[in-house]
Amino acid sequence: MENILEVKNLCKKYDNFELKNVSFSLPKGMIMGFIGENGAGKTTTIKAILDIIKSYSGDIKIFGLNNRIDDDKIKEDIGVVLDDMFFPEILTPNDINNSMKYIYKNWDSKMFYNYLKDFSLLPNKQIKTFSKGMKKKLEIATALSHHPKLLLLDEPTSGLDPIARSEIIDIFQKFIENDECSILLSSHITADLEHIADYITFINNGEIILSKTTNELLDNYGIVKCSEKQFKLIDKKDYIKYRKTKYEYDVLIENKNNFKTKYSIDVIDKLTIDDLMVMMIKGE
Amino acid sequence: MKGFIRKDFAMIKSNLKLLIILFILYAVMGLVGDNDISFLLPFMCVMIMISSFSYDTYNKWDAYSVSFPNGRKNSVKAKYISTILLILIASIITIILSFIISYINLNTINYKQILVTMLGSIFGTLLVLTVMYPIIYKFGIEKARIIILVITFGLIFIGGFILSFLDFNLANILSFLEKYLIIILVIGMIIMVYVSYKISENIFLKKDFD
């Protein structure tokens, strides 16, 4: 499978934080959910991919091209929603359209205005009059309207109500339908990711601790709830992390089927991405 | 780059009213009294453009613009071109107004004086721009405001101090300037703006938007 985005050994050092050898790849036609705590390095990684931060080491390839050498060519085909960066808020959607049609060769005004209509955004209102959710919708419309092949989305659904979220998620799903386009999407709303993400990449403290297909995670991983006595019988190499709760032990395991055969524990909860995050970060 | 210029002009739309008021004020003051505020008009253009940096900063436009094709280069280039375009448009309108005022007041048009006044004003305005923009790109608009204040007062203070000690023959310098004034101003402006632009571009191309 051809990769649309490859990040290799990305390192960036700050005084109080460090990205350590971040590596992952995103194949064509796929959506990757990029998860991690606040401050884990998601935004920094996305900024490095876009060259918004410059002083990093490592190798980033987009569409098979080096992100620094072929910067301009690559960016014609990337759409972005960045957490808190956008057009100045005294501008209107009309102004955005008037600028963007000269910024991107493939800018599609018709598509942009269609999105505005779908999202009920008035084209002649200043951005500052929009609610948080409306602003997000406008950012998404702006990111999509030049027919990009790769979407880099940092928290694109934050501030949206469930209905708007499902609307946006449908748009993302349609976006990858032609098998040519991909999305890297960071989100705290992990239920959304379970629906649409083909891959989950988990960053913690500047390090990638897991990058797998969502199916592999949700089908094979599980959480065993057991007593202390039962827990002590479990071989260390058969679990990834455990947490002691008030009444029982929660144990994160990697292979449900093997576990079931080896130990006579039948109650294995289906994993959610939220559970996974909590176990990986808080577990021992 | 055209897209970036359009964005800059869209941002100052609301300020254009202020410029129009100034034009009217200038015309009225020129006709009724004998006050010439034409030198103020190009200067206002730079101030208006500088105010656009605050909006850019507030919404982190600079970092966002890096995600566009040629974003880093075009962002800076467009800011310079937008500002100069605005100054030129304002200057042309001012010159036309000046011609009209001069004709009404004196029944003749004092071409030379009007043009030299405007040229001097544009020169001064560009001087502000060329110093200010690299500082804004390097330190951000908030710090730049303070830095430029310090520089201005520093220059006035040091300049006054040096002048009080050195006994310049000002008349000689002025007569020399008068002879070559226009050429010196025009060449000076082009060099200043180019150097300033290159410095700003260099700063912006290397900038980390953490």
Side-chain angles (χ1 to χ4, degrees), chain A residues 122-271:
Chain A
L122 291 174
N124 54 358
K125 284 269 176 207
Q126 287 189 333
I127 302 169
K128 66 179 169 196
T129 64
F130 291 167
S131 71
K132 201 180 167 214
M134 288 159 89
K135 274 183 203 161
K136 270 285 160 236
K137 286 178 177 175
L138 178 61
E139 288 175 32
I140 291 164
T142 310
L144 286 165
S145 298
H146 62 284
H147 303 283
K149 294 196 181 100
L150 170 64
L151 285 178
L152 298 173
L153 311 170
D154 198 6
E155 302 283 343
T157 50
S158 73
L160 294 179
D161 60 64
I163 295 144
R165 252 168 46 215
S166 87
E167 213 180 326
I168 301 279
I169 297 260
D170 285 345
I171 292 175
F172 291 162
Q173 247 159 351
K174 262 197 206 117
F175 176 80
I176 58 150
E177 256 169 18
N178 67 0
D179 288 334
E180 286 297 313
C181 304
S182 306
I183 303 178
L184 176 70
L185 177 140
S186 90
S187 179
H188 286 302
I189 304 161
T190 51
D192 289 351
L193 295 179
E194 279 162 33
H195 280 126
I196 60 161
D198 304 291
Y199 287 83
I200 295 289
T201 295
F202 187 174
I203 188 167
N204 188 33
N205 248 330
E207 272 178 291
I208 301 287
I209 52 174
L210 183 153
S211 186
K212 284 190 158 50
T213 66
T214 315
N215 285 342
E216 199 180 337
L217 273 177
L218 300 182
D219 294 348
N220 297 336
Y221 281 56
I223 289 183
V224 180
K225 295 193 185 292
C226 58
S227 65
E228 189 175 355
K229 203 172 134 201
Q230 282 171 311
F231 174 70
K232 285 199 169 138
L233 293 173
I234 304 173
D235 196 337
K236 253 191 171 170
K237 65 176 195 305
D238 286 332
Y239 66 84
I240 306 170
K241 296 260 182 178
Y242 74 93
R243 271 188 93 195
K244 202 177 157 188
T245 60
K246 205 167 171 189
Y247 303 105
E248 58 190 1
Y249 276 73
D250 288 352
V251 187
L252 177 68
I253 57 163
E254 202 171 345
N255 193 324
K256 272 195 272 195
N257 290 338
N258 279 359
F259 196 89
K260 270 184 194 162
T261 12
K262 192 164 172 187
Y263 304 96
S264 58
I265 296 172
D266 279 334
V267 191
I268 300 180
D269 287 0
K270 205 170 174 342
L271 183 83

Side-chain angles (χ1 to χ4, degrees), chain A residues 73-89:
Chain A
K73 208 170 157 198
I74 290 168
K75 282 176 178 169
E76 285 285 353
D77 293 320
I78 300 182
V80 300
V81 171
L82 298 166
D83 202 10
D84 53 355
M85 302 165 220
F86 196 53
F87 274 88
E89 61 181 20

Side-chain angles (χ1 to χ4, degrees), chain A residues 102-113:
Chain A
Y102 296 101
I103 288 175
Y104 288 108
K105 284 184 195 135
N106 293 332
W107 181 259
D108 186 339
S109 294
K110 206 176 143 203
M111 188 183 200
F112 182 67
Y113 281 105

Side-chain angles (χ1 to χ4, degrees), chain A residues 12 14 47 50-55 72 75-76 80 84-91 95 98-100 102-104 142, chain B residues 1-4 6-7 10-11 13 55-56 58-61 63-64 66-70 72 205-210:
Chain A
K12 164 85 187 170
Y14 292 104
K47 278 179 168 177
L50 286 167
D51 213 32
I52 292 176
I53 51 169
K54 292 210 78 111
S55 53
D72 302 332
K75 282 176 178 169
E76 285 285 353
V80 300
D84 53 355
M85 302 165 220
F86 196 53
F87 274 88
E89 61 181 20
I90 49 165
L91 298 180
D95 294 330
N98 285 334
S99 303
M100 286 302 224
Y102 296 101
I103 288 175
Y104 288 108
T142 310
Chain B
M1 189 189 49
K2 203 172 159 192
F4 287 77
R6 280 179 165 251
K7 171 242 156 211
M11 274 167 78
K13 257 186 313 199
Y55 289 111
D56 285 345
Y58 185 72
N59 293 96
K60 301 193 182 166
W61 157 262
Y64 181 64
V66 173
S67 71
F68 301 150
N70 256 320
R72 279 186 194 261
L205 284 179
K206 288 182 193 150
K207 196 159 187 170
D208 254 339
F209 297 94
D210 291 324

Side-chain angles (χ1 to χ4, degrees), chain A residues 10 12 14 16-22 34-42 44-45 202-210 241 277 280-282:
Chain A
L10 172 63
K12 164 85 187 170
Y14 292 104
N16 51 359
F17 172 72
E18 193 183 347
L19 278 187
K20 287 164 252 171
N21 286 316
V22 168
F34 196 28
I35 58 169
E37 279 180 293
N38 291 325
K42 299 187 295 287
T44 310
T45 304
F202 187 174
I203 188 167
N204 188 33
N205 248 330
E207 272 178 291
I208 301 287
I209 52 174
L210 183 153
K241 296 260 182 178
M277 285 179 71
M280 292 298 270
I281 293 166
K282 296 276 181 197

